[in-house]
Amino acid sequence: MVIGYLKKNKYLKMKRISLFQSLIIVFFGILNTVAAQKGTSELASLGIHIIPYPQEVRLGGDDFILQNGLDIILDKNATSTDLKTAELLKKSLIDDWGLTVNITRENGTKGIVLTREGVGASIKDQGYSLSTGKNGLTILAKDEDGLFYGVQTFLQLIKKHRTGPFVPGMEILDWPDVKIRAAHYDTKHHQDRASYVKSFIRDLAKYKINMLVWEWEDKLAYKSHPEIGAPGAFTMEEMKEFTAYAKDYHIELTPLVQGLGHVSFILKWPQYRDLREVEDSDWEFCPLEEGTYDLLFDLWDEAMEATPGSKYIHIGSDETFELGVCDKCQDKAKEIGNSGLYHLFAEKAAKHLKKSRKVMLWERPMGWENSGSPIKNMEPDKDLVLTEEYHYESPDFKFARQAKNMGFEMFMYDPNPGLEPLFLPYHFKMTSNRISSSPRKVKGSLKDSYDLLTASANSGLFHGMVNTSWDDSGLHNQMWMLSFATSAQYSWNATAPGLEEFENSFFQNYYGPNVKDMEELYELLNEGAYYYAHSMERNVWHHGDIGKTHLPDLPRGQYVEYDQYWNNEYSEIIKRSRTQKESMKRALQIININMGQVERNAYDFEVYQSIAKLIEHTCLTYLDLSELEYTITQAHKNAFSDRAATLRSLEKAELLIGNSLLRREKVFADLVSVWEKTRLPKGMSTPAKKYFFKMDRSRHFANRTPDMSYLIYDEQLLDMEGYLEKLRAYRKSFQLKF
């Protein structure tokens, strides 16, 4: 990287190396040697962790030492946007480093110079150069975005020293590989608080994400159809405020209001039943009903009104499971195929929307030709922006190239990390949805993203990238941050660093240099989430089958008769529960250590803790049930010889169940309390409006119940309360009679 930089760039001259910088280089000499052997980047070898990593870096020259009374120097003709960037920089330096900072337009070289004057050909769109000097640091950019991104890099370069904060001597030339870098923000099954939305925007901006595709469904208080907006939904004015706030951080807030499919939040309402493709399914609109468009146009118009200045709107429209089923659509499909129906809908939508916005939808390049029902007698609207996957069909970009030649604008679709509840399969995925079937571990989502983005970012075929974060299983949004950062890194710079270094850099960048054992923690939570998902048949339920763990047999009769089956039937999950319990013990140890010493985003560890404790509770519940059967067995054995011992065993059995229920109540209440620090109560009603709950057609894990109890719903199905009541009644009867 450094050699390539020196060969290619002549616009920056190497400055003399300061004594301070020399000491740093000597100090890190051995570390650098080891780092080089492992392929560690230049900045990481100095303990600096930048995301995304700059395109070109050259170390050396004078260090820039930040002192009180620091000036931020703007061009005399700097725009209001440039001034806002300077103000955000000033606030960060005051809040994070306790400095006194001034913003000035006076000419000078001392301080931090933010300039867009005298830009050469080496500075690309959204790009910048950054260079240090003894008395100053200069960020030079071609446009407003580039100046902002240069500032984001500068803020990540600052290091601590006993004499004060400083930036080691260096020169950077940087630009993005992909023009639009989008994060998909899915709030279909929860609503974050306004303060969290703003903090999320700030986090994305730090990593140079410049579009937020917000799938808000019923989280906007629609004026035209007020019943659709959930209780507590953001008002039009609040959404406009979010849009303006995001713009300050160089992020376009793009609304995603689902169109053809995924519309249970609309069609669950009885008054819209006649617009359904299938009368008994609220999942999908009929594309041949004019009322479909009248209703959607109202919602889309409000979505555009709520996001003034944005250039795109996303209409979703994926997973159209029932397309072509109703009588009218069956007849039309004979003429144009199911894909024809899909694009008939998309074309009518685009005709209404593209006067004001570019229209994005979940369609893959050449999907209309490669589907099971190819288009006949019509072509897709070339103004549509294609944002769905393509790489599974053609690793050589055949279909993407074909669509590009036809004139389509396309976004890379960073592979969805997964739909597992609680945590994401960053490091590995499991090949089976049952614990007892010896599942194998395969490549995780981090490697999936890395492989896709590094292969396609420099292909020249894609206008943008979109990372998806589906809310189907109700994860806390903070669990997606590593995924968002991964997409940000490799859509900005697809060549460096390597994946291992990047993950380590993320943890240090996001939590601070004192964070420990994060890769191990993620491995443990990755494994624990699969254990949780596969226990009590949770994942079986999600895929459409019904199943649940059963309770041990209740005792009956005067000799405590029972069917001894439970420990034999559930031997595999009991064994796994013992192992998993120890893993969660280690996870909680790592969490507790970090909670007391991380510099940033400590709240994440509260969420990690709530997840680990829920997984641990699941382990303990299985072990309790195992012990319950053994206790009943002991009661049975003593029934012929020692009635008092039998009674004690029955009382112990009651205590086991009672304590398990109390533990569940506490673990669940603590989890809800932690999660609701950043979000509104799930499925809440207000005095003015009652929440209307209906399970969706796709059986989303998070939509099994209106509230957060979807996380313990499977335990509730066990009815341990009823079991305890019957057990207590049997024990009292036994005590009285015998």
Side-chain angles (χ1 to χ4, degrees):
M1 173 72 82
V2 178
I3 294 173
Y5 180 87
L6 292 171
K7 287 181 178 178
K8 288 188 290 181
N9 293 275
K10 299 178 180 178
Y11 82 103
L12 292 172
K13 293 183 178 180
M14 188 66 174
K15 301 175 182 177
R16 65 182 179 83
I17 298 178
S18 69
L19 176 61
F20 196 31
Q21 178 69 10
S22 298
L23 290 173
I24 292 175
I25 293 173
V26 170
F27 180 77
F28 284 102
I30 296 175
L31 178 61
N32 286 342
T33 301
V34 175
Q37 291 172 352
K38 293 183 177 180
T40 303
S41 63
E42 301 93 329
L43 293 175
S45 68
L46 292 179
I48 297 175
H49 300 278
I50 301 292
I51 297 175
Y53 195 83
Q55 297 281 358
E56 297 179 350
V57 176
R58 182 168 63 172
L59 300 179
D62 291 320
D63 308 319
F64 172 58
I65 300 173
L66 288 74
Q67 299 176 337
N68 274 327
L70 184 66
D71 282 340
I72 299 174
I73 305 161
L74 281 171
D75 296 333
K76 288 188 180 296
N77 60 348
T79 66
S80 59
T81 300
D82 296 336
L83 177 59
K84 184 67 179 180
T85 294
E87 290 170 344
L88 293 173
L89 172 57
K90 176 181 175 180
K91 185 176 187 306
S92 294
L93 293 174
I94 293 172
D95 293 348
D96 298 340
W97 297 99
L99 299 173
T100 56
V101 183
N102 308 301
I103 297 176
T104 178
R105 293 176 187 254
E106 297 297 325
N107 289 332
T109 57
K110 291 186 177 182
I112 303 168
V113 178
L114 306 181
T115 179
R116 295 199 286 118
E117 294 181 351
V119 176
S122 59
I123 308 292
K124 301 180 181 180
D125 291 347
Q126 300 185 43
Y128 63 92
S129 69
L130 180 152
S131 58
T132 63
K134 186 175 182 180
N135 296 316
L137 181 144
T138 299
I139 298 173
L140 173 66
K142 180 179 179 179
D143 50 36
E144 294 170 334
D145 291 333
L147 204 64
F148 178 81
Y149 296 140
V151 165
Q152 300 312 305
T153 294
F154 162 65
L155 290 170
Q156 296 179 55
L157 290 171
I158 305 172
K159 289 178 64 66
K160 289 181 180 178
H161 189 264
R162 58 183 176 80
T163 60
F166 75 102
V167 175
M170 68 181 70
E171 295 170 340
I172 288 175
L173 181 64
D174 200 13
W175 67 90
D177 288 337
V178 179
K179 182 178 180 181
I180 298 179
R181 303 164 301 282
H184 166 243
Y185 178 38
D186 188 4
T187 58
K188 66 165 63 74
H189 296 312
H190 79 281
Q191 181 172 341
D192 289 313
R193 298 181 186 274
S195 58
Y196 177 84
V197 174
K198 291 182 177 179
S199 70
F200 180 47
I201 288 170
R202 294 194 299 271
D203 283 340
L204 295 178
K206 174 181 177 180
Y207 298 136
K208 303 181 177 68
I209 290 289
N210 61 357
M211 178 182 282
L212 182 61
V213 180
W214 188 348
E215 185 170 352
W216 62 50
E217 291 206 347
D218 59 355
K219 305 311 184 298
L220 175 65
Y222 299 98
K223 294 180 292 186
S224 58
H225 301 276
E227 70 283 354
I228 293 176
F234 292 121
T235 65
M236 177 72 70
E237 290 69 30
E238 287 174 312
M239 280 296 183
K240 287 181 178 179
E241 183 183 347
F242 290 140
T243 303
Y245 190 84
K247 187 176 181 181
D248 285 343
Y249 287 87
H250 294 252
I251 291 176
E252 176 178 327
L253 203 163
T254 298
L256 194 167
V257 180
Q258 288 280 6
L260 192 55
H262 267 283
V263 289
S264 296
F265 73 103
I266 302 171
L267 294 184
K268 69 180 181 180
W269 293 93
Q271 58 266 47
Y272 304 127
R273 192 180 186 92
D274 61 323
L275 302 180
R276 297 176 178 180
E277 177 73 0
V278 176
E279 186 178 4
D280 289 334
S281 172
D282 59 13
W283 186 255
E284 191 169 334
F285 277 111
C286 172
L288 299 183
E289 289 286 348
E290 284 304 314
T292 292
Y293 303 95
D294 295 337
L295 175 54
L296 284 173
F297 290 173
D298 286 344
L299 302 185
W300 288 337
D301 287 348
E302 289 199 51
M304 291 189 290
E305 182 185 350
T307 55
S310 296
K311 302 184 220 34
Y312 291 81
I313 184 172
H314 203 305
I315 63 171
S317 307
D318 60 325
E319 296 190 338
T320 51
F321 302 124
E322 279 94 33
L323 188 60
V325 171
C326 77
D327 291 341
K328 286 190 292 186
C329 287
Q330 281 187 34
D331 290 340
K332 189 66 174 176
K334 292 175 184 176
E335 176 190 346
I336 62 173
N338 276 7
S339 287
L341 287 171
Y342 180 91
H343 284 280
L344 182 149
F345 169 84
E347 186 174 352
K348 290 190 73 168
K351 185 176 181 180
H352 176 79
L353 293 168
K354 66 185 183 181
K355 292 174 288 185
S356 305
R357 300 280 175 103
K358 290 185 177 182
V359 183
M360 309 168 85
L361 78 170
W362 300 123
E363 169 66 297
R364 63 189 188 274
M366 309 313 296
W368 48 93
E369 288 189 2
N370 293 287
S371 68
S373 55
I375 281 184
K376 302 167 186 173
N377 305 325
M378 69 181 299
E379 291 185 2
D381 188 328
K382 291 184 176 61
D383 289 324
L384 294 170
V385 181
L386 312 178
T387 61
E388 184 55 279
E389 64 198 35
Y390 65 91
H391 55 290
Y392 299 120
E393 287 108 4
S394 175
D396 62 351
F397 306 113
K398 172 185 174 182
F399 301 123
R401 201 174 307 280
Q402 211 173 333
K404 174 88 170 177
N405 291 337
M406 291 176 67
F408 284 101
E409 182 177 318
M410 293 175 293
F411 277 55
M412 293 178 286
Y413 178 93
D414 191 7
N416 185 49
L419 297 179
E420 289 73 17
L422 295 185
F423 196 71
L424 291 168
Y426 283 117
H427 290 134
F428 60 85
K429 297 180 181 179
M430 306 294 279
T431 58
S432 171
N433 64 359
R434 294 178 186 270
I435 284 178
S436 60
S437 60
S438 301
R440 292 185 300 107
K441 292 181 179 180
V442 296
K443 182 174 65 170
S445 66
L446 272 181
K447 188 65 164 59
D448 278 340
S449 293
Y450 176 82
D451 289 345
L452 167 77
L453 294 170
T454 55
S456 54
N458 288 315
S459 68
L461 298 173
F462 301 98
H463 191 72
M465 176 282 305
V466 59
N467 166 297
T468 54
S469 59
W470 305 113
D471 193 30
D472 298 14
S473 294
L475 278 69
H476 195 290
N477 195 62
Q478 285 301 101
M479 300 304 96
W480 298 89
M481 287 310 302
L482 175 55
S483 177
F484 294 137
T486 305
S487 296
Q489 166 59 59
Y490 294 109
S491 59
W492 179 277
N493 180 355
T495 59
L499 188 56
E500 182 179 351
E501 180 188 323
F502 162 75
E503 185 179 8
N504 176 63
S505 286
F506 169 76
F507 294 135
Q508 305 247 357
N509 180 293
Y510 195 68
Y511 297 114
N514 296 324
V515 72
K516 297 182 185 301
D517 301 321
M518 288 304 296
E519 185 175 353
E520 181 185 1
L521 177 61
Y522 270 43
E523 289 268 3
L524 292 168
L525 293 177
N526 190 158
E527 182 179 32
Y530 272 109
Y531 164 84
Y532 169 86
H534 297 165
S535 62
M536 300 192 185
E537 290 74 44
R538 291 182 176 98
N539 211 41
V540 174
W541 182 94
H542 179 73
H543 288 282
D545 301 325
I546 297 298
K548 66 175 182 177
T549 298
H550 294 82
L551 295 173
D553 198 28
L554 279 161
R556 56 191 179 275
Q558 62 177 316
Y559 295 120
V560 195
E561 298 155 0
Y562 73 107
D563 181 5
Q564 187 177 356
Y565 80 95
W566 202 90
N567 277 287
N568 183 60
E569 176 72 18
Y570 297 104
S571 60
E572 189 66 30
I573 185 64
I574 294 168
K575 180 180 177 182
R576 177 78 180 277
S577 297
R578 289 196 181 97
T579 302
Q580 199 62 57
K581 179 171 75 81
E582 293 305 309
S583 294
M584 287 305 100
K585 181 179 178 181
R586 171 58 181 155
L588 288 166
Q589 182 185 48
I590 296 172
I591 291 165
N592 289 333
I593 290 171
N594 282 305
M595 286 178 87
Q597 63 185 27
V598 294
E599 294 181 0
R600 299 180 286 275
N601 298 302
Y603 172 69
D604 288 24
F605 289 92
E606 295 183 54
V607 180
Y608 295 144
Q609 185 180 63
S610 72
I611 291 168
K613 283 187 174 293
L614 182 58
I615 297 168
E616 179 189 52
H617 163 72
T618 303
C619 300
L620 292 172
T621 298
Y622 273 101
L623 297 179
D624 285 345
L625 294 177
S626 172
E627 182 64 21
L628 175 65
E629 187 180 68
Y630 287 133
T631 303
I632 293 173
T633 298
Q634 193 59 46
H636 167 73
K637 288 180 177 178
N638 288 325
F640 299 96
S641 57
D642 190 343
R643 293 302 178 98
T646 294
L647 190 59
R648 288 194 296 273
S649 292
L650 292 174
E651 289 170 342
K652 179 183 176 182
E654 287 180 48
L655 190 62
L656 276 167
I657 294 296
N659 286 342
S660 185
L661 289 170
L662 288 173
R663 184 181 62 243
R664 181 213 298 170
E665 181 180 354
K666 183 179 188 316
V667 167
F668 178 64
D670 289 347
L671 182 147
V672 172
S673 176
V674 167
W675 290 30
E676 287 183 358
K677 288 182 179 181
T678 61
R679 52 172 63 184
L680 298 181
K682 184 175 183 292
M684 74 172 192
S685 294
T686 65
K689 191 172 189 180
K690 181 176 173 58
Y691 178 67
F692 176 29
F693 171 70
K694 188 177 182 298
M695 190 182 296
D696 58 46
R697 173 247 191 269
S698 267
R699 301 166 61 85
H700 287 167
F701 190 82
N703 198 44
R704 304 192 296 168
T705 64
D707 57 10
M708 290 283 287
S709 66
Y710 68 92
L711 291 169
I712 57 169
Y713 179 64
D714 303 273
E715 284 192 47
Q716 292 174 331
L717 289 177
L718 294 179
D719 190 22
M720 291 172 67
E721 295 87 349
Y723 186 98
L724 177 59
E725 186 178 333
K726 292 174 184 176
L727 181 61
R728 183 176 290 125
Y730 174 81
R731 189 260 304 162
K732 289 180 179 179
S733 174
F734 181 90
Q735 188 173 11
L736 288 172
K737 292 182 180 178
F738 306 113

